Amino acid sequence: MKFLSFFISRLGKALVVVLGVVIINFFMIRLAPGDPAAVLAGQAGTGDATYVASLRAQFGLDQPLLVQLWLYLKGVFQLDLGFSYRNHVPVLDLILERLPATFLLMSCAFLFSIVFGVLLGVIAARARYNNKRRWIDSSVMTGALLLYATPLFWLSLMGILLFSVLLGWLPAFGMESVGAGLTGWARAQDIATHLILPTVTLGCFFMAVYVRLTRASMLEVIGMDFVKTARAKGVSPNRVIRTHVLRNALLPVVTFAGIQLGQMAGGAVLTETVFAWPGIGRLMFDALLQRDYQLLLGIFLVTSVMVVVFNLLTDLLYRMIDPRIAAGSQEASA
């Protein structure tokens, strides 16, 4: 019951946050320069005021701003995100079509960054603790610093030039080979090959953060009394690292992981644009250029929900990893 109460409380706060984000995004989009009706009229090769006025009436842009907000919120509650005038399809259908590609890229980049980040962080911390291998710690931390300081777009372009143009090992653009007609396992291999460069470039920045965070947390935990007691009792060094040190050192890593997933949704915009990856990041970039208000609002809503859900899952996972949080909440309620 206490866990259920905790979950309901977090869920209620998440819904309030999503509602606030929806309202703020609506006003921010309306304050941005540009008019979708004027853009469409320009693309049609006419600047007639009557034609522009008819387009504004068709899209509901001639109504008062609060009325537009109410109609949009009403549609959101009914899972109707509006109609994309540029693509001539419902916004929700367009987003659901692109969402799997973004989820695939984000999940692969997340797993890459956290697995290799934590692994290298553990290696660096153990090397630092063992004075004979400090050169390993210096090498790992120097590499992490370089990756952290390298701009994402530069890393993406250099990856394309090296592995696609010069070496020809990996494809540079797209999610799969166009016109290949592959099915089954062959298609999965083709998608995996196209996924390597976007995954590595998107995950390298966050991997560098995980390396530094894991190393710092482990060095802090290694010096605590319960670790010294475990060593004094004759527990093997590997078991001390795995059971006592790493589990406690992962708590700040889990906290950052929830934040990272939200940041990765934003970083996917640049990565998908550079690699022509057909996800919602690329869709957001195109909608911005085309002044497609309804599509932009729909993408902002979906990404906001994703960020809130990721943080909610992080809170639940944090509570499972660290029982002291559950105990603390029980004492507070008592």
Side-chain angles (χ1 to χ4, degrees):
M1 292 299 295
K2 293 183 180 298
F3 180 81
L4 182 61
S5 176
F6 172 81
F7 177 75
I8 293 175
S9 174
R10 289 291 190 272
L11 183 61
K13 294 177 181 178
L15 293 176
V16 172
V17 169
V18 171
L19 179 61
V21 169
V22 168
I23 295 175
I24 293 174
N25 285 337
F26 179 86
F27 286 109
M28 292 292 291
I29 289 294
R30 290 302 188 274
L31 290 175
D35 190 336
V39 173
L40 274 183
Q43 292 175 351
T46 177
D48 183 62
T50 304
Y51 180 67
V52 174
S54 65
L55 288 178
R56 290 181 59 83
Q58 179 183 349
F59 303 141
L61 299 175
D62 59 335
Q63 300 183 16
L65 195 58
L66 293 180
V67 174
Q68 295 182 42
L69 175 61
W70 166 248
L71 292 176
Y72 179 71
L73 291 177
K74 184 179 178 181
V76 169
F77 290 139
Q78 297 173 353
L79 296 181
D80 180 13
L81 303 184
F83 191 82
S84 173
Y85 63 85
R86 188 69 175 84
N87 298 276
H88 306 290
V89 293
V91 170
L92 186 58
D93 294 345
L94 192 57
I95 292 176
L96 292 179
E97 180 184 351
R98 298 290 192 96
L99 201 56
T102 296
F103 271 133
L104 178 62
L105 176 59
M106 286 180 56
S107 58
C108 291
F110 175 75
L111 290 176
F112 170 81
S113 61
I114 196 168
V115 169
F116 285 96
V118 171
L119 178 62
L120 291 174
V122 171
I123 293 175
R126 294 190 65 175
R128 179 70 179 182
Y129 191 71
N130 186 354
N131 292 328
K132 297 180 180 179
R133 298 180 179 178
R134 288 201 171 187
W135 64 270
I136 298 179
D137 174 51
S138 300
S139 301
V140 171
M141 296 308 297
T142 301
L145 182 60
L146 289 175
L147 288 177
Y148 183 79
T150 302
L152 180 60
F153 72 91
W154 187 88
L155 189 63
S156 302
L157 294 176
M158 291 303 104
I160 292 174
L161 288 176
L162 177 60
F163 296 103
S164 298
V165 178
L166 295 179
L167 300 177
W169 292 352
L170 299 171
F173 306 108
M175 184 176 176
E176 54 185 314
S177 300
V178 179
L182 301 176
T183 58
W185 178 246
R187 183 169 182 261
Q189 287 182 315
D190 184 54
I191 294 176
T193 305
H194 284 78
L195 190 61
I196 293 176
L197 275 180
T199 296
V200 173
T201 53
L202 181 58
C204 273
F205 171 82
F206 298 101
M207 182 187 71
V209 178
Y210 283 131
V211 170
R212 300 175 65 86
L213 188 59
T214 303
R215 173 185 177 274
S217 299
M218 287 194 63
L219 290 178
E220 180 180 0
V221 174
I222 285 177
M224 292 184 174
D225 292 338
F226 71 93
V227 177
K228 297 178 180 178
T229 302
R231 291 183 181 276
K233 289 182 178 181
V235 180
S236 63
N238 290 332
R239 186 177 179 183
V240 169
I241 293 294
R242 183 177 62 254
T243 305
H244 298 279
V245 178
L246 185 58
R247 181 176 180 180
N248 290 275
L250 283 179
L251 295 178
V253 176
V254 171
T255 302
F256 180 76
I259 303 174
Q260 177 223 349
L261 283 170
Q263 294 176 338
M264 191 169 284
V269 176
L270 180 58
T271 305
E272 291 180 1
T273 302
V274 172
F275 290 99
W277 188 263
I280 59 174
R282 175 68 182 272
L283 187 64
M284 182 190 303
F285 180 76
D286 295 337
L288 179 63
L289 295 180
Q290 298 161 359
R291 302 296 190 273
D292 196 339
Y293 283 174
Q294 293 298 113
L295 183 54
L296 274 176
L297 287 173
I299 295 174
F300 288 160
L301 173 61
V302 171
T303 53
S304 301
V305 171
M306 288 169 55
V307 172
V308 170
V309 169
F310 291 150
N311 282 274
L312 178 62
L313 294 177
T314 302
D315 288 341
L316 299 178
L317 183 60
Y318 203 97
R319 185 184 176 94
M320 293 172 59
I321 293 178
D322 192 356
R324 294 172 297 179
I325 297 179
S329 61
Q330 293 176 5
E331 293 176 359
S333 61

